């Protein structure tokens, strides 16, 4: 099953009408909304809007642990997370789709790990150190790139995602700092989501929709830019996700000879 985490602008889309709501409880509380599970074009899919069904959860209040645990419990073998972002360099315009390959975490105060002294598994409480050198799964990224090429959908390959706290947008000086740090796009939900997926041994990729130029990089109101470009970018992301489902499913077929990852608490 492929899990899709919806971000701002991707709370619902026509294909989801064929999916069935499924309530899942977790040791970390309730996920943002009931999961929508079923099949799209014959591929098992599970959809969860990370901000809630009514888009009521700000980035710092999302229960990332419950969201990821619920998807794993429902049978997800991989996660594609759609995220709305701002762009820092001029070569990434509003409306573009970006497939980041790195991330820098500027968030604070979020529940960022399952291994915080009360991990609920057979081994009891323990600390695990996950490798996070490459935060996004290579197989999922390759499947998305191939689907975009086949469907004629422009997809920028490679960028560093700056995960900021939100919910406010950044200052011009903050964006200058992110640029000096080597970041290309900026959003508010990339962490701890990516790291939690790694702790659960869930392959994870981010499909970023550029809604605006970051603070100090454009000539108009950021909120006006978001309103202007978000719908078109989300529509392109929806087309790409549907086109990519067969390839994504092929990358996450279970290998019967592979043991569960030691950091997997399920």
């Amino acid at each position: 099953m492929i899990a899709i985490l919806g971000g701002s602008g991707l709370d619902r889309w026509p294909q989801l009408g064929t999916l069935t709501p499924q309530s899942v409880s977790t040791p970390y509380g309730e996920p943002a909304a009931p999961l929508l599970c079923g099949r799209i074009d014959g591929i098992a899919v599970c959809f969860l809007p990370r901000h809630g069904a009514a888009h009521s959860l700000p980035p710092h209040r999302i229960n990332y642990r419950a969201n990821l645990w619920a998807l794993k419990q429902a049978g997800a073998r991989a996660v594609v997370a759609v995220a709305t972002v701002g762009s820092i360099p001029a070569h990434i315009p509003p409306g573009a789709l970006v497939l980041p390959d790195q991330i820098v975490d500027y968030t604070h105060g979020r529940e960022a790990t399952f291994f915080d002294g009360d991990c609920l598994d057979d081994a009891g409480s323990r600390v695990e150190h996950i490798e996070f050198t490459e935060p996004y799964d290579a197989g999922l990224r390759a499947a998305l790139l191939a689907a975009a090429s086949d469907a004629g959908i422009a997809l920028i390959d490679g960028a560093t995602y700056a995960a900021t706290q939100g919910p406010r947008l950044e200052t011009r000086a903050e964006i200058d700092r992110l640029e000096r740090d080597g970041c290309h796009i900026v959003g508010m939900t990339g962490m701890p989501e990516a790291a939690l997926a790694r702790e659960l041994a869930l392959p994870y990729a981010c499909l970023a929709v550029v809604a605006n130029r970051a603070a100090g990089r454009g000539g108009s109101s950021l909120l006006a830019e978001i309103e202007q470009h978000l719908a078109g970018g989300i529509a392109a992301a929806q087309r790409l996700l549907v086109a990519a489902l067969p390839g994504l499913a092929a990358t996450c077929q279970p290998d019967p000879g592979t043991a569960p990852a030691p950091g997997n608490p399920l």
Side-chain angles (χ1 to χ4, degrees):
M1 178 185 290
I2 302 298
I4 299 171
L5 272 166
S8 296
L10 189 61
D11 299 317
R12 57 185 61 86
W13 37 305
Q15 285 85 355
L16 299 182
T18 63
L19 305 183
T20 302
Q22 177 179 329
S23 296
V24 178
S25 296
T26 84
Y28 302 96
E30 299 300 314
L35 310 184
L36 294 176
C37 299
R39 291 185 176 271
I40 294 177
D41 295 339
I43 306 296
V45 172
C46 192
F47 176 78
L48 174 62
R50 71 165 67 81
H51 292 279
H55 199 82
S56 59
L57 295 171
H60 65 296
R61 293 295 188 189
I62 293 171
N63 191 337
Y64 295 95
R65 295 196 298 181
N67 284 354
L68 270 297
W69 189 286
L71 292 173
K72 178 85 173 187
Q73 186 170 306
R77 294 191 175 275
V79 177
V80 177
V82 179
T84 300
V85 300
S87 67
I88 298 175
H91 73 272
I92 303 180
L97 299 182
V98 182
L99 198 62
D101 58 351
Q102 280 296 322
I103 192 164
V104 181
D105 187 6
Y106 300 93
T107 66
H108 53 84
R110 302 183 182 189
E111 298 289 352
T113 179
F114 293 107
F115 304 112
D116 60 359
D118 62 353
C119 178
L120 303 176
D121 69 354
D122 292 338
S125 297
R126 68 177 190 269
V127 174
E128 292 283 348
H129 301 286
I130 59 167
E131 183 171 340
F132 207 50
T133 306
E134 303 297 333
Y136 302 112
D137 182 77
L140 297 181
R141 293 185 75 260
L144 287 163
L145 287 166
S149 177
D150 291 345
I153 299 172
L155 178 61
I156 296 173
D157 179 14
T160 296
Y161 179 127
T164 59
Q165 181 71 359
R168 67 167 177 84
L169 299 176
E170 300 74 28
T171 68
R172 176 170 50 81
E174 287 170 333
I175 294 299
D176 290 343
R177 173 202 177 190
L178 300 184
E179 185 172 38
R180 290 193 299 270
D181 286 351
C183 299
H184 306 96
I185 56 177
V186 54
M188 301 173 187
T189 59
M191 288 291 287
E193 194 173 86
L196 291 169
R198 182 64 53 87
E199 287 186 351
L200 291 175
L202 274 173
Y204 176 97
C206 173
L207 177 59
V209 178
V210 179
N212 61 285
R213 295 197 184 278
R217 299 304 188 267
S220 61
S221 162
L222 297 184
L223 296 179
E225 257 198 329
I226 292 171
E227 185 175 349
Q228 178 182 354
H229 296 289
L230 181 58
I234 289 295
Q238 291 170 344
R239 294 195 301 273
L240 176 53
L241 288 169
V242 173
L245 282 177
L248 293 169
T251 69
C252 62
Q253 293 300 318
D255 180 353
T258 301
N264 182 356
L266 289 181

